[in-house]
């Protein structure tokens, strides 16, 4: 735990922002204000944050259907991201993408993606800038346990390994793919081990522990920047809520839900560690909490009060303007 | 006769056929749902849209097979199973995912009979969800049936109501060629009279929903309901429309359309697919070739514009052809001279 | 001006653009070929059809990138590279393989600009081989450009000769949207005048190969050569054909076709794709909708039949529209009344 | 080496038939009588034969673009197979498939396949008959080193493992995928090891040694029939000729070609082993050789003299007769 205080504050802010944001979205969804299904990231905050604190704006990430956490951890614009979830004209994607397709290229967030596993080759492509242009960059793909069974993901790992590209394959093993358990769907049961088979080092760690994730990320990023190729990081942390909001979760027990909230809350674990080590005062974190609560509240209010896209925008930006 | 939903009609068709023929089985993601989890104790989910609810309880894990998220493996396994004598129903959760597994559908299953010299059949049904209208965004709202219909060796079915959904699915399961069965997500909750017993609606036979003299309107899938909402207005405007639901696109009941256009002299097609090389354009192209001399006005296809399906609800509403557009297009054709 | 083959024209376009812009690179299977082998000591193969010959020697392994046989990874990596500022040329060895990687093309690259609200461009070229005629059988002879053209966000190009191949490829590489560049395998050895310097043939502009008054014939790809072989016979039969090579299908030069049909009143389209929802049917559908009043005869599309491409050489010859069929179709249109 | 003499003779016959057949096809190709590209199997005879001697007619195989050897090892009809390569009306596929699409369902040969890796899920599908109908059967997929990088293959292995299906994934590592070496294209370099990652036992062996292949196949088949799931068998044996006939093979040296022919001829190795062990007389094998030479000669002559398909057949058998 040799991080600077600034970095710790930064890390906590990213995680907490995700938590506050997602709890708010949950409420909004229940109220019926959100125009589509949403997939909440709560329980996995330490994964996105632990990876993204090690990345710069020039580094890229490619995200999933469960992308809000990745966006926030990569410092996407909170207001415009919220607007996008509400499909507003001033959303990051002009309201055309919605929750499952938020992108913020200005900070290297290459997009949420509603095709499971499709982001892995895209992340590999962004990493090609190192080979082709000699750029100093790293690219990370977030991949669910379920997505880890897609051909696209295996091919992407192999290609990154063959070309020694600076890619982090971040496996978010949250126990389930929709309603199907990882014990069932994952042949061999060892996602990180399968990745190693493609010739890259791997980590397998507790995804509710920010420091475990961040340490692995720091090592993997260093190797990648040096041109030593890809790594795989498997992070285990169950999601707290359903696959999507509204999922009755018949496939798991109430006890499971209680246990993870009690023992695997990434925010509690982080607070305990930094407070016990005397690195940050509890009160400083409380201030952050308050600040984020109001920031998120404001973003949501602003989004809800902002206009939907103009109907004329339906057919714009299919191609470059004037080229079709 | 009882009232059932489109969803219930589909489930019923599968249950009846699985009871009738032990070679029929269902394979896909989350179709029992949860049954694979070690500590599972709840009810089987039956897919995120409930389209396989109850199957696991009735037939168990040997014939209701949950898979990893691996559509290529699912479609390939289904193709291989069909080629070697089984009768798989494979679920492609959203038709938008065809891009990750299309090889197994179009280069394999669709070509086996021809390419292997008719040595065997490929009795495979791929059930998949199509359509826009409920806010699923660019990658979960598409209707790629025009692409499916382009492929020799595939059959393509697009039920527009619960009765047809059941009868067409039973026919598809009994068919000895690969069939892509397109279920429209906006219709899953639609009610209709559906007999309890087994019955077939044949592939390749359209249905005239309403006879008329001024204009032939062919509507596909969800568009059938939309055009039915136009009937009153059209009548008020003095336009007598003949409305055809082709029900299956491949094989397609071209004779029914030709006969109708020979009577009306005007053709409007309503199609939810992308416009370029759409099934609608195929219909008008055939009509313009085969019954040209009957045409009193230009043929007309209404589809969404050449763009992805947007997430924003107001844009999505504008994306789909609606009652107003249909009525004004019909008027234009009627008044053409 | 020198005579070069279609293949040479393509290679030259890539070399010129790679010299001009360091962001352009090529990625695919065996495109340097062998360079990856530890004990390699021969010359780089440049692909099984020699379409990347010499690139490795000129630009090296950083920009001429051999891959494993993993089309999804190739197309996805190319899409991701384009989205993050590079200008990839990705090779899909045979277009028949689109089924293993289409998601990355149609759900990803094609939708990025729209779905992500125009935050970035996706300047990606996918070079791929189409076409029947040289005995490659059902899984290596297809022409799926109608499917590609169906997809909003994609551009689709079908050069029919060396000059256009070079100019269209240069335009495609400079274009800021994903372009599928369809190279016809039967044309690779075709000779033609090709200037040494760089030039663009714009996307979306067709070319009138011959003016005429009786019938407009639109021919795509390989069909351009076939129709050129008909010109003499047609003239002998007193049929003055206007021949149009659209060169790109998406964007498509519909105005050129409309203008021509307004003059001739008759339209014949020659298209090598599968018939149902073919690009040919799209063209006739548009014409039947937009310039109906000019039509003196039914529109007509000649494609192969609705079947896979057979391996047997005599069947493959019968599969493709040929001179005889074109002439008799033209006569029928001319004599229609 | 506890095989019966009958089985040894059978094994040798399969291997030698492939050799004679392929050498003949090579000559025919050079003469210009073959209507399309062909991919020769010579050098790998022991793989197909070692697997297929352990299979029954009810068991299935799914093959590749390099499929002649698999067809013959699975006892496909020699004459009708030859006719198919010459695209004749009486070929197994009525002349519509050609070299890359030969199938003979009557002996469980589910088809050659010109889409690399696509056969793997198809073989898994055939194996579903065990689960759905309780049939006693095994299904094998032959997969090249290059094909082993296709998403389809990884997904197929995972699915077979999850469902515990009776599948043999036979990896034919012949050193090259077209012109690209396995050392380059295969991340991690260990095809069998990658398969193990999916939770199945694996073998890695010399594919020019029939007995090595056959022993592994026997074990894997037994496990599969018992319902214990899939296995992977990686067989290393370089092809003797180019990727396709006409390939100038710039990517490898003359010495390499000489060495494999001298040291890795599956037929020489087999003969040495059985003759040294006194199991079969050399003269008995010579008789087989002569017999096969004339059988193949006759098949080729018959094929070349048989008619091409009737042009009316172009559009038949796209669908079941009368159903379209
Ligand atoms: C190719 C594809 N197949 C199926 C789906 C439907 N789907 C959406 S999310 C999901 C489960 C994903 O599980 P996992 O990768 O573990 O991510 P998690 O939801 O747990 O974050 C599925 C099957 C999809 N979007 N894309
Ligand atoms: C999906 C796909 N990609 C590419 C090809 C082109 N292709 C045909 S054979 C081949 C090499 C296959 O290598 P390997 O699997 O090692 O088999 P081998 O030829 O060595 O027997 C390639 C790339 C193809 N047929 N299918
Ligand atoms: Mg998960
Ligand atoms: Mg090989």
């Amino acid at each position: 735990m040799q991080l600077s205080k600034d970095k710790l504050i930064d890390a906590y802010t990213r995680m907490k922002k995700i938590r506050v944001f997602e709890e708010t979205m949950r409420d909004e969804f229940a109220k019926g204000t959100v125009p589509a299904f949403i997939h909440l990231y709560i329980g996995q905050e330490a994964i996105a944050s632990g990876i993204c604190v090690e990345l710069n704006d020039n580094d890229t990430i490619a995200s999933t259907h469960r992308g809000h956490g990745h966006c926030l951890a990569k410092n996407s614009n909170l207001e415009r991201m919220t607007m996008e979830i509400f499909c507003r004209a001033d959303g990051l994607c002009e309201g055309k993408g919605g929750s499952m397709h938020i992108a913020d290229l200005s900070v290297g967030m290459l997009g949420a993606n509603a095709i499971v596993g499709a982001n892995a080759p895209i992340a590999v492509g962004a990493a090609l800038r190192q080979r082709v242009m000699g750029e100093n960059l790293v690219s990370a793909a977030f991949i669910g346990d379920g997505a880890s069974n897609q051909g696209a993901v295996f091919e992407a790992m192999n290609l990154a390994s063959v070309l020694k590209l600076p890619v982090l394959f971040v496996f978010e093993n949250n126990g389930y793919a929709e309603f199907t358990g990882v014990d069932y769907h994952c042949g061999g049961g060892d996602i990180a081990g399968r990745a190693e088979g493609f010739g890259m080092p791997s980590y397998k760690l507790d995804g509710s522990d920010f420091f475990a994730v961040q340490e692995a990320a720091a090592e993997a990023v260093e190797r990648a920047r040096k041109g030593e190729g890809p790594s795989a990081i498997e992070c285990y942390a169950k999601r707290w809520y359903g696959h999507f909001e509204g999922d009755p979760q018949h496939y798991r027990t109430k006890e499971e839900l209680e246990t993870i909230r009690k023992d695997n809350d990434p925010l509690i674990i982080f607070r305990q560690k930094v407070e016990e080590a005397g690195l940050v005062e509890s009160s400083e974190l409380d201030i952050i909490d308050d600040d984020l609560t109001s920031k998120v509240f404001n973003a949501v209010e602003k989004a809800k009060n902002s206009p939907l896209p103009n109907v004329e925008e339906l057919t714009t930006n299919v191609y470059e303007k004037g080229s079709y | 006769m009882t009232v059932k939903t489109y969803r219930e009609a589909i489930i019923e068709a599968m249950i009846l056929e699985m009871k009738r023929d032990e070679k029929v089985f269902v394979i896909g993601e989350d179709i029992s749902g949860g049954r694979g989890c070690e500590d599972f104790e709840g009810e089987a989910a039956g897919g995120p849209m409930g389209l396989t609810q109850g199957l696991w309880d009735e037939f168990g894990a040997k014939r209701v097979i949950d898979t990893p998220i691996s559509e290529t493996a699912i479609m390939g396994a289904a193709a291989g199973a069909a080629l070697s004598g089984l009768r798989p129903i494979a679920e492609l959760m959203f038709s938008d995912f065809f891009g990750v597994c299309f090889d197994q559908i179009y280069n394999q299953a669709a070509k086996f009979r021809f390419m292997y010299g008719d040595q065997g059949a490929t009795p495979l049904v791929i059930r998949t969800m199509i359509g826009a209208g409920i806010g699923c965004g660019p990658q979960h709202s598409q209707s790629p049936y025009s692409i499916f219909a382009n492929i020799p060796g595939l059959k393509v079915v697009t039920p527009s109501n619960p009765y047809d959904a059941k009868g067409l699915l039973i026919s598809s399961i009994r068919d000895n060629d690969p069939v892509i069965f397109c279920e429209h997500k906006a219709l899953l909750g639609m009610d209709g009279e559906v007999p309890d017993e087994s019955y077939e609606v044949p592939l390749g036979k359209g249905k005239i929903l309403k006879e008329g003299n001024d204009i032939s309107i062919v509507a596909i899938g969800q568009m059938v309901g939309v055009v039915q909402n136009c009937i009153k207005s059209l009548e008020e405007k003095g336009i007598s429309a003949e409305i055809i639901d082709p029900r299956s696109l491949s094989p397609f009941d071209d004779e029914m359309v030709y006969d109708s256009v020979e009577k009306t002299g005007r053709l409007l097609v309503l199609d939810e697919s992308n416009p370029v090389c759409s099934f609608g354009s195929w219909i008008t192209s055939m009509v313009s070739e085969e019954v040209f001399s009957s045409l009193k006005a230009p043929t007309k296809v209404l589809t969404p514009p050449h763009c992805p399906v947007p997430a924003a609800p107001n844009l999505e509403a504008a994306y789909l052809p609606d009652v107003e557009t249909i009525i004004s297009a019909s008027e234009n054709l009627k008044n053409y001279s």
Side-chain angles (χ1 to χ4, degrees), chain A residues 231-301:
Chain A
S231 309
I233 305 176
E234 179 182 349
C235 310
Y236 193 83
K238 291 195 170 172
R239 55 170 153 79
W240 284 21
Y241 295 110
H243 170 60
F244 42 65
E245 277 304 285
D247 170 8
Q249 301 190 68
H250 289 310
Y251 50 86
R252 57 173 167 173
T253 62
K254 288 223 172 73
E255 294 76 55
E256 177 181 314
L257 290 172
E258 279 161 25
T259 312
I260 51 174
R261 284 166 207 204
K262 197 158 58 66
D263 299 340
N264 301 100
D265 184 329
L267 287 162
I268 295 180
I269 294 170
F270 183 92
R271 270 196 178 240
Q272 269 169 356
K273 289 204 177 181
V274 293
E275 288 171 17
E276 270 167 28
L279 294 169
V280 190
E281 296 286 312
S282 174
S283 58
E284 292 179 83
L285 299 180
D286 293 342
I287 295 172
I288 295 174
D289 290 0
D290 292 342
D291 181 46
L292 289 170
T293 303
S294 75
K295 276 205 176 107
V296 168
F297 177 85
N298 290 337
V300 170
E301 286 309 301

Side-chain angles (χ1 to χ4, degrees), chain A residues 85-155:
Chain A
I85 294 172
F86 286 92
C87 297
R88 306 295 154 149
D90 292 330
L92 280 166
C93 309
E94 305 179 335
K96 289 173 174 174
S99 164
M100 288 205 291
H101 306 96
I102 306 173
D104 188 349
L105 299 195
S106 69
V107 294
M109 159 62 190
L110 294 182
N113 205 314
I115 304 297
V116 151
N119 60 333
I122 292 169
V124 172
L128 278 169
R129 286 154 56 208
Q130 187 185 65
R131 181 179 176 121
V132 175
M133 303 287 289
E135 280 186 55
N136 174 6
L137 96 159
V138 178
S139 183
F142 292 94
I143 302 162
D145 51 288
S148 82
N149 296 315
Q150 270 284 320
V153 174
F154 300 117
E155 290 193 1

Side-chain angles (χ1 to χ4, degrees), chain B residues 274-333:
Chain B
N274 295 327
V276 181
C277 306
S278 62
F279 201 85
S281 71
W282 167 240
I283 297 176
T284 58
S285 169
M286 288 191 291
V287 162
S288 162
E289 190 160 328
E290 299 296 335
V291 291
F292 177 75
S293 62
S294 306
L295 284 175
K296 299 180 198 151
T299 58
K300 177 80 187 167
V301 187
L302 287 178
T303 63
H306 186 59
C307 67
V309 186
N314 64 329
L315 297 188
E316 193 182 27
Y319 173 85
L320 288 168
D322 62 4
V323 168
E324 231 171 75
T325 337
I326 295 169
I327 291 172
S328 98
S330 306
E331 285 185 289
N332 287 345
L333 295 191

Side-chain angles (χ1 to χ4, degrees), chain A residues 18 21-22 25 37-42 44-45 48-49 52 61-77 81-82 85 92 98-104 109-114 119 142-144 172 174 243:
Chain A
I18 298 172
F21 185 79
E22 292 286 68
M25 290 316 297
F37 277 112
I38 52 173
H39 307 78
L40 299 184
Y41 194 70
I42 292 178
Q44 304 174 223
E45 295 92 337
S49 303
C52 291
I61 64 168
S63 166
T64 68
H65 59 286
R66 198 176 299 288
H68 304 171
H70 308 135
C71 285
L72 292 172
K74 197 69 172 57
N75 291 328
S76 295
N77 184 301
M81 172 191 160
T82 311
I85 294 172
L92 280 166
S99 164
M100 288 205 291
H101 306 96
I102 306 173
D104 188 349
M109 159 62 190
L110 294 182
N113 205 314
N119 60 333
F142 292 94
I143 302 162
E172 303 196 77
N174 65 3
H243 170 60

